[in-house]
Amino acid sequence: MATRLQCLLSAFLCLALLAKMAELRLRRRRDAQAPMLILALGSFTVAGLVGIPVTRQHVPFLDVPGVPSVIMDTGVSLSLALLNVYLWTPLGGDRAVPWWRERLFLSAWAVSVLIAALMAATPPRLRTNPLQNEYTGDWRIVGIYVLGNLFFLHCSTASAIACVRITRIVRGHVTIGVAVGAIGMVAYAVTCVNRLVLVLTQLIAGNGWFAWYSVLNFVFTDAAVLASVLGLHFTALWRVVAACRQWYADLRAFRLLGPVWRRLTAMYPDVVLHREHGVRGLWDRLDVSYRKYRREIECQDALLLLTGGCPSAERRTAARHAGLDDEQVRLLRSLSSMSRTTV
């Protein structure tokens, strides 16, 4: 059951990372650090894909004992190192070297090479499954777990500190997204500590308590993944929520303006604007914001013809003669002043 949940979690994480990479790649305004972030997310995506049994069954060489573990450790090492460099870049000012020559990035490669060497020196029957924190009694496997998790712990802790410092600089919804990302990094650091405790304690107490401790570690891993994904996509989610709220406000204003618009356009049908045909016209009919603004313009033109440019007091009198009450006139004026869309 735990293995199945981990597979589902890995699949969800991969989809979320692919979506974020696509967003970064298709963004109109390119960030100079975007390639570094895309590579970081891509490395973690590869590690997540290797953690899915279906992938290992259909990709050559992934059925060799120890190879999936090395690929996963390499992907996570590069990802955490690049993410750490990415987060500290706006805090450290101008850097003397490019990101691919950063010490932490080169250290990630060194750790990966050392892990691969230790795994290659381990007999195949003593190598580990990449989804389980197994201790097989070999000192080289212990060395892999200790070395890898110490490096992961350093990167995730430093990234969490960077996120906390960034929250003091940015404002608005970005602060919330970065804070959620910090929670994810802290949770991932806890999982690294858990794995270190697990491996080292198995040297003393054996494997009898492995099952329940593995579940505890999975809970923190789940929290880390979900928080990290939410932190990455928080800005996009915020924009979606804001767009939905704006759509609802435009729809409500469009419907409230309906009686005023029908009465005024019945009196002055010439104020009705020309409608586009074809695909553009179809899109305009589906755009609630455009239709609301169009209705406001037509009402304002009709009201101007009705009052003849009279002062506001005489304009209200003329509007009442046209069948509009003060509330409808105030609604028309307020909607016009609040409009944010242009034709």
Side-chain angles (χ1 to χ4, degrees):
M1 183 63 181
T3 302
R4 182 176 299 178
L5 289 176
Q6 287 177 327
C7 293
L8 292 176
L9 182 62
S10 298
F12 170 74
L13 175 62
C14 292
L15 290 176
L17 293 177
L18 289 173
K20 186 62 179 180
M21 286 189 290
E23 177 192 351
L24 293 172
R25 188 67 180 84
L26 299 176
R27 185 179 296 177
R28 293 182 179 179
R29 298 181 60 182
R30 298 288 181 84
D31 185 3
Q33 304 298 327
M36 176 171 55
L37 184 57
I38 292 175
L39 182 58
L41 300 180
S43 300
F44 214 102
T45 303
V46 172
L49 289 174
V50 173
I52 302 176
V54 177
T55 305
R56 299 200 300 273
Q57 293 173 3
H58 293 83
V59 177
F61 304 109
L62 288 185
D63 56 346
V64 178
V67 172
S69 295
V70 172
I71 295 177
M72 290 183 68
D73 289 340
T74 302
V76 175
S77 299
L78 296 178
S79 177
L80 291 178
L82 289 173
L83 185 61
N84 185 276
V85 175
Y86 178 81
L87 292 173
W88 279 98
T89 297
L91 299 173
D94 296 334
R95 294 184 177 272
V97 296
W99 58 267
W100 59 85
R101 293 173 55 189
E102 287 284 347
R103 292 182 179 179
L104 194 61
F105 182 62
L106 298 178
S107 299
W109 280 113
V111 169
S112 301
V113 170
L114 186 55
I115 288 176
L118 289 173
M119 187 66 75
T122 305
R125 60 184 179 83
L126 296 178
R127 295 174 185 174
T128 58
N129 185 305
L131 279 181
Q132 300 295 333
N133 301 315
E134 296 174 343
Y135 167 66
T136 59
D138 191 272
W139 65 270
R140 287 157 290 199
I141 297 299
V142 175
I144 289 174
Y145 275 114
V146 173
L147 178 64
N149 283 285
L150 283 178
F151 184 77
F152 301 161
L153 178 61
H154 168 72
C155 292
S156 56
T157 304
S159 297
I161 296 174
C163 288
V164 173
R165 294 186 59 179
I166 291 175
T167 55
R168 301 174 183 175
I169 302 175
V170 296
R171 294 291 183 270
H173 67 276
V174 179
T175 305
I176 302 176
V178 177
V180 173
I183 295 174
M185 289 293 101
V186 171
Y188 195 84
V190 172
T191 63
C192 297
V193 175
N194 287 347
R195 294 189 188 96
L196 289 172
V197 173
L198 175 65
V199 174
L200 296 178
T201 308
Q202 284 177 332
L203 294 173
I204 303 172
N207 297 329
W209 60 291
F210 169 75
W212 66 267
Y213 194 87
S214 181
V215 173
L216 177 64
N217 193 55
F218 173 75
V219 171
F220 278 99
T221 304
D222 191 9
V225 170
L226 294 178
S228 300
V229 170
L230 182 58
L232 284 173
H233 291 278
F234 191 83
T235 299
L237 293 175
W238 182 275
R239 290 173 180 171
V240 170
V241 172
C244 291
R245 293 181 60 184
Q246 184 63 41
W247 178 86
Y248 176 76
D250 290 339
L251 180 62
R252 183 173 180 272
F254 177 79
R255 298 183 64 181
L256 289 175
L257 201 58
V260 181
W261 175 80
R262 283 188 287 270
R263 188 178 296 273
L264 289 176
T265 54
M267 297 174 59
Y268 301 98
D270 293 339
V271 300
V272 178
L273 300 175
H274 172 72
R275 295 185 179 276
E276 297 286 345
H277 299 286
V279 178
R280 174 63 185 275
L282 178 60
W283 178 255
D284 291 342
R285 288 178 174 82
L286 297 176
D287 190 349
V288 178
S289 177
Y290 173 82
R291 295 180 66 189
K292 183 207 72 167
Y293 189 66
R294 178 191 179 97
R295 182 168 285 187
E296 290 174 2
I297 294 297
E298 293 171 347
C299 289
Q300 291 289 351
D301 291 344
L303 191 61
L304 183 63
L305 293 175
L306 178 65
T307 59
C310 297
S312 59
E314 299 181 13
R315 186 178 301 175
R316 287 195 295 270
T317 302
R320 281 197 295 270
H321 286 302
L324 306 179
D325 53 28
D326 290 339
E327 182 178 358
Q328 291 175 329
V329 175
R330 285 196 300 270
L331 172 64
L332 180 61
R333 295 176 62 186
S334 64
L335 291 176
S336 179
S337 61
M338 293 172 58
S339 178
R340 302 175 183 175
T341 313
T342 57
V343 177

